[in-house]
Amino acid sequence: VQLVESGGGLVQAGASLRLSCAASGHILSTYTMGWFRQAPGKEREFVALVTWTGTRTHYADSVVGRFTISRGNAKNMVYLQMNKLKPEDTAVYYCATDADWTIFAIDIDYWGQGTQVTVSL
């Protein structure tokens, strides 16, 4: 399984960014897709999850109402629309996939290489 993220960058607080992740390889239709992030000196943390069908989503409390995870028409794509960005959203954002519905990074089977998101004041 390969996951390739894109769309990170440097923005000012209040701005928006859209991250994309393209998945390839042997991914079953039951696999969950998600986004995690890791800020310098901190643990990798859960951001958002979506089922392969796109019918169920789950968000970290810190991003509810600002971030939206979605699947593309091509089911191998997953997106993270990030609005009203804050400096505390600054982190490397990782795309992830796993056979289970899990918010724990330690349980994730597959990771992308990460994309940097930096939010300035």
Side-chain angles (χ1 to χ4, degrees), residues 46-50 57-70 79-81 101 103:
F46 161 72
V47 175
L49 285 180
V50 64
T57 59
H58 181 56
Y59 297 92
D61 289 344
S62 59
V63 306
V64 168
R66 299 188 300 122
F67 291 11
T68 302
I69 189 170
S70 61
Y79 305 99
L80 186 68
Q81 178 66 41
W101 180 264
I103 64 170

Side-chain angles (χ1 to χ4, degrees), residues 18 27 57:
R18 188 193 196 206
I27 302 177
T57 59

Side-chain angles (χ1 to χ4, degrees), residues 50-57 71:
V50 64
T51 52
W52 186 257
T53 59
T55 55
R56 180 185 174 194
T57 59
R71 306 303 301 269

